Amino acid sequence: MLTRNRRRTPSTPSSAFVPDAVEIHPRHLQLGDEWVASFAITGYPREVHAGWLQPLLTHPARLDVSLHIEPIDPQVAAERLRKQLGKLESTRRHTAARGRLVDPTIETSTEDAYDLSDRLARGEGRLFRVGLYLTVHARSEAELIEEVSALRALTASLLVDAKPTTYRSLQGWITTLPMGLDQIAMTRTFDTAALSAAFPFTSPDLPPPDVTSAAAARGVLYGWNLGSQGLVHWDRFSCENYNAVILGRSGAGKSYLVKLEALRSLYQGVELAIIDPEDEYARLARAVGGTYFPLGNEGIRINPLDLPIHTRPDGRRSAPADALSRRSLFQHTLLSVLFGQSLSARERAVLDHAVTDTYRAAGITEDVRTWTRQAPLLTDLRTVLDTSDNNTARDLASRLHPFTHGAFSGLFNGPTTTPPEGHLLVFSLRNLPDELKPAGTLLTLDAVWRRVSNPAIRRPRLCVVDEAWLLMQQRAGAEFLWRMAKSARKHWAGLTVATQDVGDVLGSDLGKAIISNAATQILLRQAPQAIDDIVRTFALSEGERQFLLSANTGQGLLCSGTQRVALQAIASNAEHQLITTDPAELAAMANDTAADNADPSAAADDLVLDD
């Protein structure tokens, strides 16, 4: 073992960039408090796709990837290739003359050599000497052993042979430093196409869904690419699922991006339903002729016991075979959200019998023909519970009293006012009491889901849940959102979950499950307190971490699988006026409107100009 010591001298600026000591072992180095091991790639697969080494860059451990490239003179390359072809052809003829079986390896190598020779002769590429080296870092020897095992498993999955730089560990580490020195010299000859595919760097632009198509980009225009200055188009309905999650701190432009995507999705014929906690989508709904439901206002009600009755194209009405059972189960979820805690097993049993009795009192039984009758109300359910001899039932009735006859009864004390229909549905929760906002979110999601699951109407749909933390604070609400995220794709629908409270999403298994079921993930500017959770969950690099901490309003990362792109949301002037929530801009627009209304001559001039 050779040890080289270097003392740190405070007066020497370069001392901050060198280790205290370097201990050289046969297969690893100890650099101060750090342990490193280096590897050289000696074997490669025969066929690869573009960017096939990208998993090396997204490896969760600290891994240095060094790619050394040296061009070969075309004349030298042609001469060497001619000699290699001669050896391969001689081997083939010798095998044939002796009557032996054909060696598949020799046959494949000969075909590849002839193909490469033809491309070089036509000037379609060049040859290069390429060396690929890896160095893995750890904080202890035991951790280094684990990281080396993980790296070997990763390289094996990529069908490459990683050999340790035994007895040349120092040279292997120097080779992976950004100094351009290849002291291992274990290279392989690559042509231009193979070299370009081996680059472990992805394009700053998102790949189109069909790389062989020359058609214009489909989907929604989100903005422009901060890396290439190109445009970022993304079609959620071309992914494996249509869900999306948008995470960003307050003021990062989260709602702005959600409204921009919603408006441009309407251009594509997508039907939208939006749960709006702050009444931010009212102007957008009025501008495009959408349907606006201000929950909490007088006369706006949703009956949680409504059955999902659908009208088929032939005019007949139908419902799912298990509709009554599903409505009974939904009452369990609703009461758990209303009470702020999960129901016990005894309470669930009592509630199940009470719901059945409530429907039966309204003339609704297991017979499907009775399901078109008027559905009972939550008040009827409380009455059944209150008249029961069971103490648990009477306790449930007393806890339901505020929502049927008390301060919070306005949302439930009557049948559903208007069926949710239209190309854009906006459910505003602003006027609901804070205690009812989780229940209001759940009820609107249930109403939207009954429309989405209607088999008689098949069209692409998106359901947007803005400020989803309102519902995810309670486990029953998070479970309903999770089930919807898992089942939406089967009904040609996508769920958009947008929230500024990252902790409620990443702090639970259900929240992480919702993220894992979203093929489209958009990360906007993050708070320093939440960035570590974001980095761990999405396996972000240090550069991406710093970008999310310093991003401007409307800037973020669009992630889908291994593809990531930094974007800046952009909107036209007309779109901006519909979706902005800047108080100063809204006040200026209100003043302009008031000035136009106060000046009849100006209005007349506008009419003349319009004509």
Side-chain angles (χ1 to χ4, degrees), residues 59-356:
H59 185 57
R62 181 184 170 189
L63 179 66
D64 298 334
V65 181
S66 178
L67 195 64
H68 294 261
I69 304 169
E70 179 186 355
I72 302 177
D73 182 82
Q75 186 175 357
V76 175
E79 181 63 26
R80 291 182 178 177
L81 188 58
R82 191 180 304 111
K83 292 181 179 179
Q84 183 65 21
L85 274 173
K87 293 178 182 179
L88 293 172
E89 191 62 39
S90 175
T91 302
R92 291 178 61 188
R93 294 182 181 181
H94 182 269
T95 301
R98 295 297 183 93
R100 298 173 181 173
L101 294 176
V102 176
D103 188 346
T105 303
I106 298 298
E107 291 293 323
T108 302
S109 299
T110 305
E111 293 175 4
D112 291 344
Y114 273 117
D115 180 63
L116 179 59
S117 178
D118 291 341
R119 284 190 279 116
L120 290 179
R122 292 193 298 266
E124 296 180 359
R126 296 184 58 183
L127 293 184
F128 301 86
R129 294 187 186 93
V130 179
L132 179 60
Y133 309 98
L134 311 174
T135 295
V136 64
H137 298 250
R139 288 170 292 185
S140 66
E141 187 174 8
E143 183 181 345
L144 181 64
I145 294 174
E146 296 179 0
E147 296 297 346
V148 167
S149 300
L151 179 61
R152 284 181 175 273
L154 175 61
T155 54
S157 68
L158 297 175
L159 301 181
V160 298
D161 296 329
K163 302 298 184 183
T165 56
T166 307
Y167 294 108
R168 291 193 292 173
S169 53
L170 178 62
Q171 291 82 355
W173 174 58
I174 293 175
T175 299
T176 57
L177 292 177
M179 298 165 53
L181 299 176
D182 185 0
Q183 298 191 356
I184 300 297
M186 298 182 69
T187 60
R188 183 74 172 265
T189 302
F190 279 43
D191 68 331
T192 304
L195 179 60
S196 62
F199 265 69
F201 312 110
T202 55
S203 168
D205 291 312
L206 291 171
D210 183 5
V211 296
T212 64
S213 174
R218 298 179 300 167
V220 172
L221 171 65
Y222 284 88
W224 52 275
N225 192 324
L226 294 177
S228 67
Q229 304 302 311
L231 297 178
V232 178
H233 284 87
W234 189 246
D235 185 8
R236 289 171 53 176
F237 290 94
S238 66
C239 302
E240 59 268 21
N241 64 66
Y242 318 137
N243 301 330
V245 60
I246 302 177
L247 305 178
R249 65 180 299 180
S250 178
K254 168 177 51 62
S255 296
Y256 190 94
L257 182 61
V258 170
K259 285 180 280 189
L260 186 64
E261 181 193 31
L263 184 59
R264 291 175 176 172
S265 296
L266 290 173
Y267 303 157
Q268 307 291 333
V270 178
E271 184 179 296
L272 279 109
I274 300 173
I275 299 177
D276 178 13
E278 296 295 337
D279 204 23
E280 297 180 0
Y281 296 79
R283 288 183 296 117
L284 176 63
R286 288 194 295 266
V288 301
T291 306
Y292 179 67
F293 294 90
L295 300 182
N297 285 9
E298 185 67 27
I300 303 296
R301 297 179 298 271
I302 296 180
N303 182 14
L305 282 86
D306 280 341
L307 288 171
I309 304 299
H310 306 313
T311 302
R312 301 191 305 192
D314 58 3
R316 299 178 61 187
R317 306 180 75 189
S318 64
D322 59 347
L324 196 59
S325 300
R326 289 183 177 273
R327 296 319 294 166
S328 178
L329 294 174
F330 177 73
Q331 307 314 310
H332 295 196
T333 303
L334 176 63
L335 265 63
S336 297
V337 173
L338 288 176
F339 298 159
Q341 62 183 15
S342 299
L343 301 179
S344 66
R346 181 183 296 274
E347 290 172 335
R348 286 181 176 275
V350 169
L351 179 61
D352 199 55
H353 287 293
V355 171
T356 302

Side-chain angles (χ1 to χ4, degrees), residues 360-410:
R360 186 178 293 112
I364 299 175
T365 64
E366 294 294 335
D367 188 351
V368 179
R369 293 173 296 180
T370 65
W371 292 0
T372 57
R373 295 174 179 172
Q374 181 73 33
L377 304 177
L378 198 62
T379 306
D380 301 324
L381 175 60
R382 182 196 175 277
T383 301
V384 171
L385 290 168
D386 194 38
T387 57
S388 174
D389 296 333
N390 190 295
N391 292 331
T392 302
R394 289 198 296 269
D395 178 64
L396 288 175
S398 63
R399 295 164 68 184
L400 264 179
H401 181 271
F403 306 102
T404 56
H405 299 86
F408 304 134
S409 61

